[in-house]
Amino acid sequence: MTTDVSPTLSHVSARTEAYLKDKFFGHVIDGSVVESIGGATMPVIDPSTGIEIATAASGDAADVDRAVASARRVFDDGTWRHVAPLEKEHRLHRLAQLIDENRTIFGDLDALDAGLLRTYTAFLEHFGVNATSYFAGWPSKLHGSIPPVPAGMNVQHRRVPRGVVGIIVPWNGPTAVVAMVAAALAAGNSVVLKAAENTPMSAVLMAELAVEAGIPEGAFNVLQGTGQAVGAALVEHPGTDYISFTGSAATGRAIQTAAAKTLTPVALELGGKSPFIVFEDAEIEPTAAAATAAVWSGQGQICTAGSRVLVQRSIHDEFVAAMVEASRAVTVGHVFDPSATMGPLVSQTQLDRVVGYVDLGRSEGVDVALDGGLAGDGGFFHEPVIFTGVRNEMRIAQEEIFGPVMSVIPFDDEADAVRIANDVEYGLAAGVFTNDLRRSQRMIDELTVGTVWVNTYQAGYPTVSYGGVKQSGYGRTLGEEMVHELTHVKSVWIAQ
Ligand code: NAD
């Protein structure tokens, strides 16, 4: 690694270049970008080149104290929660508009620090704007209810904010996390967002724009740093009222254990090993294209990656051939190359993890239908790999790889497909490809997952709730469900 100017930096827009000039990606506390109290920093690495492109703060418990105190002050004095509902909406809509106006910068930043293709980050920005607009409409719709009670009493169920909400996020969709921030603010909470250490950039711009939109300083703070030094301290902080965590199952378990000490409620959006199930009546070519897109997009670093492809035995060979054919068109390249269809993995650590699983797959004695390997010069690139003849009990079929590695598993009939699909510790999502309507209904009933897609995959919209079961976590993001998660019900009895 060197500190030369990264070749990818020369591809960013003039606005992004201006934003990046001398920019320090610090914490954002009380509306200002600040250094860590201890002065520690960490490099921001461009995954397309392995080159350091910027510097971020690296916090510790003292910075967490400062951010939580800021959020607490704003919550307690009511400068945000007491803003009238329609005024809250107005300011959140303004935030959506500012994100929209700064889309190019967000898209460039996510490409630069997450190593996501610029074509893909355009989708993240679109989602971020849409989700902020959607949650912006909620403050005036957070109705409580009036339950029937015996005469002589009036009772209200009031929906009230949780308080100080800690939001801890991974690196695979940095701007998309504005959805959670907007939902928490819409419900009247104050927010402390802990950005992922690989992707500190766009959270800073988000918080800067929030101040410009009229969200009070301190209602939305950002912390930078590692999971151990900052994330864990945020979870354990007595001033945190609620934790919304998105990340790996292992970290989710650690967070739930730590939160037990203070009884802080948590919502966990965790990993997956999602089955993409193809029945013999599905159309081969479009379904093969969808199956490859389901695991190659984002380089496989998407929680709902369809990394287990279950194919009915009668069409297995033909379907695998079609997926290999579709995958040969994949062009691995740096994130601003318009001809690239697969970018780098986020870090050397993630690349090493993928290489480890590819070696493991080979040693487990499976067939290799598409034999990708390391690629590129300097960045963290790995070509796609398709393993066939995989048995569901193998580690490559059970563990989340989070890279461009697909395991193909044959099945005999519907019951066999359900058994294999559910025989995994995760339960995030599943795709079912069939033209048989009745079969699709039966599969929807039997799959133990939070989302089922039928003849489509990875569709999402801010109005639709999303989350997992089993080791994929609990709690829901997006949709009405998320706004409800971010409030609690206060029951009020008033004697007449
Ligand atoms: P990770 O669990 O390593 O880290 C996620 C976040 O948690 C980071 O900000 C990290 O700093 C922080 N963290 C780490 N240890 C912590 C601790 N002990 N206490 C508090 N915070 C801590 O995950 P990752 O590698 O950044 O992301 C990949 C994982 O995220 C995958 O498992 C993926 O499936 C999952 N993910 C899930 C969803 C979903 O909605 N279900 C979405 C995206 C990613």
Side-chain angles (χ1 to χ4, degrees):
M1 195 209 330
T2 74
T3 49
D4 294 337
V5 172
S6 160
T8 45
L9 274 180
S10 57
H11 291 80
V12 302
S13 66
R15 287 186 64 200
T16 308
E17 198 181 345
Y19 182 74
L20 282 171
K21 193 165 169 22
D22 302 324
K23 183 77 186 174
F24 172 65
F25 291 92
H27 314 289
V28 186
I29 299 177
D30 275 331
S32 301
V33 180
V34 296
E35 294 184 10
S36 296
I37 291 170
T41 60
M42 58 187 184
V44 185
I45 306 294
D46 169 5
S48 292
T49 60
I51 290 174
E52 181 177 337
I53 48 167
T55 306
S58 185
D60 61 23
D63 302 295
V64 176
D65 266 347
R66 197 160 49 143
V68 172
S70 162
R72 170 60 54 201
R73 178 185 50 73
V74 170
F75 189 76
D76 289 349
D77 70 17
T79 26
W80 176 243
R81 98 189 130 97
H82 288 161
V83 169
L86 290 172
E87 177 60 23
K88 276 202 194 84
E89 293 193 5
H90 176 70
R91 296 187 204 182
L92 287 166
H93 277 300
R94 174 89 184 112
L95 175 60
Q97 189 187 340
L98 287 168
I99 295 169
D100 198 12
E101 288 167 11
N102 287 277
R103 240 180 225 228
T104 303
I105 306 181
F106 278 111
D108 287 348
L109 296 183
D110 287 356
L112 282 174
D113 64 4
L116 296 167
L117 289 178
R118 186 63 183 84
T119 44
Y120 181 89
T121 63
F123 154 78
L124 294 180
E125 317 331 323
H126 181 67
F127 176 82
V129 172
N130 265 355
T132 307
S133 300
Y134 167 68
F135 287 117
W138 267 101
S140 65
K141 285 117 196 145
L142 270 171
H143 300 291
S145 62
I146 300 181
V149 290
M153 285 286 177
N154 281 324
V155 175
Q156 307 164 351
H157 282 153
R158 294 189 188 184
R159 226 167 234 297
V160 297
R162 297 266 187 186
V164 174
V165 168
I167 302 178
I168 303 176
V169 293
W171 36 262
N172 61 346
T175 295
V177 306
V178 74
M180 301 186 217
V181 175
L185 290 171
N189 299 287
S190 296
V191 173
V192 178
L193 171 67
K194 191 267 180 225
E197 46 271 60
N198 288 319
T199 53
M201 291 175 153
S202 58
V204 175
L205 178 56
M206 238 178 255
E208 289 168 333
L209 295 180
V211 172
E212 202 178 323
I215 313 288
E217 293 171 1
F220 171 23
N221 302 280
V222 173
L223 284 169
Q224 310 283 6
T226 65
Q228 286 309 321
V230 175
L234 182 59
V235 173
E236 287 173 19
H237 200 289
T240 308
D241 296 308
Y242 180 86
I243 289 286
S244 169
F245 171 73
T246 307
S248 63
T251 308
R253 284 188 285 270
I255 286 178
Q256 178 159 333
T257 304
K261 289 179 210 153
T262 46
L263 287 183
T264 305
V266 296
L268 303 174
E269 293 289 341
L270 309 178
K273 193 73 186 178
S274 301
F276 185 109
I277 307 164
V278 187
F279 285 95
E280 60 191 0
D281 61 345
E283 291 146 62
I284 300 280
E285 284 195 5
T287 309
T292 53
V295 64
W296 304 155
S297 79
Q299 294 73 261
Q301 303 167 119
I302 299 179
C303 45
T304 51
S307 51
R308 285 188 305 150
V309 178
L310 277 48
V311 187
Q312 195 152 17
R313 210 175 288 278
S314 51
I315 58 159
H316 177 274
D317 293 355
E318 190 186 354
F319 192 77
V320 169
M323 288 199 297
V324 169
E325 182 64 27
S327 304
R328 292 212 189 281
V330 170
T331 308
V332 175
H334 87 58
V335 291
F336 289 95
D337 178 349
S339 67
T341 53
M342 182 177 281
L345 294 158
V346 72
S347 63
Q348 184 67 49
T349 309
Q350 195 63 19
L351 180 61
D352 293 345
R353 178 184 166 90
V354 169
V355 169
Y357 274 106
V358 172
D359 290 347
L360 176 70
R362 290 205 171 91
S363 74
E364 282 183 311
V366 296
D367 297 322
V368 188
L370 185 70
D371 197 7
L374 295 173
D377 184 17
F380 312 130
F381 296 95
H382 199 290
E383 297 161 331
V385 176
I386 300 180
F387 286 133
T388 55
V390 177
R391 291 191 313 280
N392 196 50
E393 66 272 19
M394 290 176 170
R395 281 183 58 198
I396 53 166
Q398 291 288 321
E399 297 174 17
E400 186 181 45
I401 299 174
F402 229 51
V405 183
M406 177 198 288
S407 292
V408 183
I409 305 171
F411 68 85
D412 293 316
D413 55 21
E414 211 175 293
D416 202 25
V418 169
R419 182 186 58 76
I420 298 170
N422 288 339
D423 183 14
V424 68
E425 67 174 8
Y426 293 106
L428 192 57
V432 178
F433 286 73
T434 177
N435 281 317
D436 181 334
L437 181 63
R438 289 195 173 131
R439 170 152 57 201
S440 70
Q441 306 290 318
R442 290 190 297 270
M443 292 297 290
I444 292 166
D445 284 349
E446 297 308 317
L447 290 166
T448 317
V449 291
T451 295
V452 181
W453 288 293
V454 177
N455 294 330
T456 183
Y457 203 82
Q458 273 162 350
Y461 202 66
T463 54
V464 182
S465 90
Y466 169 78
V469 295
K470 295 157 66 178
Q471 294 295 305
S472 296
Y474 55 83
R476 290 293 176 268
T477 51
L478 303 180
E480 183 173 357
E481 303 283 340
M482 183 170 202
V483 185
H484 286 172
E485 295 264 358
L486 289 160
T487 58
H488 66 86
V489 173
K490 182 187 275 184
S491 299
V492 181
W493 293 77
I494 306 168
Q496 283 174 352

